[in-house]
Amino acid sequence: MADTIFRRIIDGEVPCHKVYEDDKVLAFLDINPLSRGHTLVIPKEPAETLDQLSDESAAALGRVLPRICRAVIAATGVREYNVLENNGRGAHQAIPHVHFHIIPKPDREQGLGIGWPAKSLDAEEGRKLAEQIRAALT
Ligand code: 5GP
């Protein structure tokens, strides 16, 4: 397993404020929260990015993510939140071990700030691109 800080947290070598654990998933509070309740949900499988994760670990994460979101809402009293998962250094991933952030958004100042440089999708480009992605999925 790659020697990341999250591997050391999974192995119990580094402490964390744990909020959930099963045989495939661990969740704990982020050490530098963007807002109160900022929680990280990670697979125990040492995949670096989401595309490398097994279906089994993905299913285990998907099963518990909404439940952990509900618990963060209940504990913080904040109903709005973002779920963020970065892949690759250029996409702001600092720790090369898959992790989902649950980030409560109590107001405009706290929580996740998002840049969203949207453009419009050309119809022909959309048709070709969707076809390429469908082909890659088969
Ligand atoms: P990324 O930028 O990779 O998506 O986010 C990594 C997150 O891991 C950051 O929000 C950072 O605060 C958190 N983090 C880094 N090291 C530790 C640690 O040792 N313990 C905990 N609980 N969180 C950490």
Side-chain angles (χ1 to χ4, degrees):
M1 194 188 274
D3 192 24
T4 65
I5 189 74
F6 290 170
R7 198 276 303 160
R8 298 181 68 204
I9 289 174
I10 290 166
D11 288 352
E13 294 168 16
V14 169
C16 70
H17 293 287
K18 189 196 300 185
V19 301
Y20 176 85
E21 182 167 20
D22 64 31
D23 59 330
K24 294 197 169 48
V25 178
L26 179 68
F28 50 94
L29 297 181
D30 194 295
I31 205 166
N32 294 127
L34 290 181
S35 58
R36 184 169 175 269
H38 184 164
T39 298
L40 299 174
V41 185
I42 72 174
K44 290 185 176 176
E45 181 185 325
E48 284 193 24
T49 53
L50 193 58
D51 51 283
Q52 296 170 9
L53 193 64
S54 68
D55 285 357
E56 208 180 16
S57 284
L61 274 171
R63 195 164 46 241
V64 297
L65 253 179
R67 203 190 316 164
I68 299 171
C69 289
R70 287 192 288 274
V72 171
I73 291 170
T76 61
V78 177
R79 291 213 57 83
E80 295 182 308
Y81 60 98
N82 296 96
V83 174
L84 174 71
E85 199 275 321
N86 299 322
N87 297 278
R89 294 192 72 80
H92 307 286
Q93 182 182 18
I95 312 283
H97 182 125
V98 170
H99 49 285
F100 285 80
H101 298 256
I102 301 171
I103 311 168
K105 188 72 179 164
D107 54 43
R108 285 173 65 89
E109 281 71 42
Q110 300 176 80
L112 183 68
I114 303 180
W116 197 271
K119 303 168 190 73
S120 64
L121 177 65
D122 174 78
E124 182 53 18
E125 160 70 356
R127 190 189 63 72
K128 280 190 197 147
L129 189 55
E131 195 176 292
Q132 286 174 335
I133 296 171
R134 281 198 303 274
L137 277 165
T138 57

